[in-house]
Amino acid sequence: MGIKFERVSYQYQGIDQRGYLAIGDINLSINAAGEFITLIGETGSGKSTLVQHMNALLLPTEGRMKLFGLTIDKNTKKNKKIKLNPIRKKVGLVFQFPEYQLFEETVLKDIIFGPKNFGVSEEEAIKRAKKMIEVVGLDESYLSRSPFNLSGGEKKRVSIAGILAMEPDVLILDEPTSGLDPMGRNALLEVFYDIHKTLNKTVIIITHDMNTVYEYAQRALVMREGVLVYDGDPLQLFSKKNIDNWNLETPDILALSKAMETKFDITFSTPPRSRKALFTEIKEVLK
Ligand SMILES: Nc1ncnc2c1ncn2[C@@H]1O[C@H](COP(=O)(O)OP(=O)(O)OP(=O)(O)O)[C@@H](O)[C@H]1O
Ligand SMILES: [Mg+2]
């Protein structure tokens, strides 16, 4: 169970008849629980298109997917018997642009919309809204405000709270921290990591920030021109060859570790992946 792609391609319909191939021939398996994945790639490489397949918002134009046991291909839309709603409950997707997700008069109504839609009682949905607004770093006073009068970062947090309130098995976040200040960014990343750790959920984060990949991910995916070119260990992703070939920025911790190795003529047996681990190594060397 979980998410499985078999040779999935998706073509957007353009103004002419030819269409535009946004992702091609993607093979991918993601577990229903326990994974922490980052997805990177240049702008226009197909990241958002790819994740919109994972909750069946977009259906493949070629190939097929298995989402929590349900087989989906280009004929699925025509078959009225196939219900996609249960998939949308299991796989929560926070859009890149929160404007697409917010539409109610108040933040409260927005957050409870999803859970209520999936059969949760109003009382329970409100309870979850009160909890989740805090989880994303806002407070209860926001619940009575209009989602349209919030800053970009606040809108983002509200749309994340709305998805969290549905308690999905798999949580997908399309650039959740873009436009946030560094403090806000780290605080939100800790929230996602906590959800993954304590509830054993699979979390997938699309990001342009290599520090997020290096410091948090257990598994890294890289899209390039609609093709999945890397699926594996985040440490090995940042080999010199890949950094050069794919024009990746070197993560801060990696750059500092390499500089230390050269300066002190040492080799780390386990490369530090976090600030804390790096400080420990520095203290060790300076003893
Ligand atoms: N609705 C659409 N209609 C036609 N083409 C689209 C549509 N949405 C995206 N595309 C095209 O598909 C390709 C992949 O877009 P996608 O949004 O998946 O990229 P992305 O990797 O998420 O980029 P970004 O980092 O800028 O968010 C792009 O070339 C884009 O122009
Ligand atoms: Mg995108």
Side-chain angles (χ1 to χ4, degrees):
M1 288 286 229
I3 297 171
K4 194 168 166 58
F5 281 41
E6 290 169 9
R7 309 203 62 176
V8 166
S9 298
Y10 185 80
Q11 203 164 31
Y12 284 105
Q13 287 313 311
I15 5 178
D16 57 19
Q17 286 308 301
R18 278 180 303 150
Y20 177 83
L21 190 67
I23 57 171
D25 220 4
I26 308 277
N27 291 302
L28 183 64
S29 273
I30 291 170
N31 293 331
E35 295 213 64
F36 200 90
I37 301 172
T38 53
L39 167 57
I40 61 169
E42 286 169 0
T43 186
S45 57
K47 303 180 298 297
S48 296
T49 306
L50 178 68
V51 299
Q52 285 174 58
H53 283 75
M54 293 179 185
N55 75 343
L57 210 58
L58 294 177
L59 306 186
T61 49
E62 287 304 325
R64 62 177 193 162
M65 320 186 275
K66 272 197 189 139
L67 302 181
F68 289 85
L70 193 66
T71 302
I72 293 171
D73 60 21
K74 62 181 167 191
N75 298 317
T76 300
K77 213 183 274 177
K78 291 179 219 138
N79 187 343
K80 295 274 179 278
K81 277 195 221 129
I82 300 179
K83 297 269 176 276
L84 298 175
N85 241 12
I87 302 291
R88 309 230 163 99
K89 189 194 170 306
K90 283 193 190 303
V91 184
L93 171 62
V94 177
F95 290 127
Q96 182 167 5
F97 304 104
E99 287 76 5
Y100 294 167
Q101 215 135 23
L102 304 170
F103 54 90
E104 293 278 1
E105 296 150 39
T106 64
V107 167
L108 176 70
K109 282 189 185 167
D110 242 312
I111 298 179
I112 65 175
F113 178 85
K116 277 180 68 185
N117 205 21
F118 291 117
V120 171
S121 72
E122 172 124 357
E123 195 190 352
E124 167 65 17
I126 292 175
K127 212 168 101 192
R128 289 188 194 177
K130 287 182 176 164
K131 178 169 168 221
M132 294 312 170
I133 199 77
E134 304 267 350
V135 166
V136 298
L138 301 175
D139 61 53
E140 271 194 36
S141 72
Y142 279 85
L143 293 175
S144 56
R145 291 180 60 179
S146 160
F148 303 102
N149 301 336
L150 301 175
S151 76
E154 288 167 340
K155 279 183 190 154
K156 205 150 239 184
R157 286 167 197 256
V158 169
S159 57
I160 294 167
I163 298 296
L164 291 178
M166 298 198 312
E167 301 185 340
D169 291 2
V170 176
L171 178 63
I172 305 174
L173 304 130
D174 195 345
E175 301 196 26
T177 55
S178 67
L180 299 184
D181 56 54
M183 286 268 283
R185 188 198 71 175
N186 289 340
L188 260 191
L189 283 171
E190 288 298 327
V191 168
F192 305 141
Y193 195 70
D194 212 46
I195 288 168
H196 154 74
K197 264 274 170 265
T198 54
L199 304 172
N200 195 34
K201 289 193 194 264
T202 285
V203 175
I204 304 168
I205 300 178
I206 296 184
T207 183
H208 287 282
D209 176 37
M210 298 306 127
N211 293 326
T212 302
V213 180
Y214 198 73
E215 292 173 41
Y216 285 89
Q218 286 169 354
R219 176 177 171 190
L221 306 176
V222 182
M223 287 293 289
R224 214 171 141 73
E225 296 175 356
V227 177
L228 184 64
V229 293
Y230 187 90
D231 178 355
D233 180 29
L235 279 187
Q236 277 159 29
L237 168 63
F238 293 103
S239 68
K240 172 133 183 22
K241 185 171 138 240
N242 291 344
I243 287 180
D244 292 345
N245 282 351
W246 297 333
N247 215 2
L248 304 177
E249 244 177 85
T250 306
D252 294 343
I253 304 277
L254 179 61
L256 281 168
S257 313
K258 290 259 178 255
M260 270 186 71
E261 285 183 326
T262 313
K263 170 100 180 145
F264 297 105
D265 197 19
I266 49 171
T267 309
F268 294 127
S269 51
T270 335
R273 292 271 301 272
S274 65
R275 266 143 239 268
K276 202 169 149 213
L278 183 65
F279 286 144
T280 310
E281 295 293 348
I282 293 174
K283 270 194 220 144
E284 212 37 55
V285 172
L286 296 178
K287 249 185 198 165

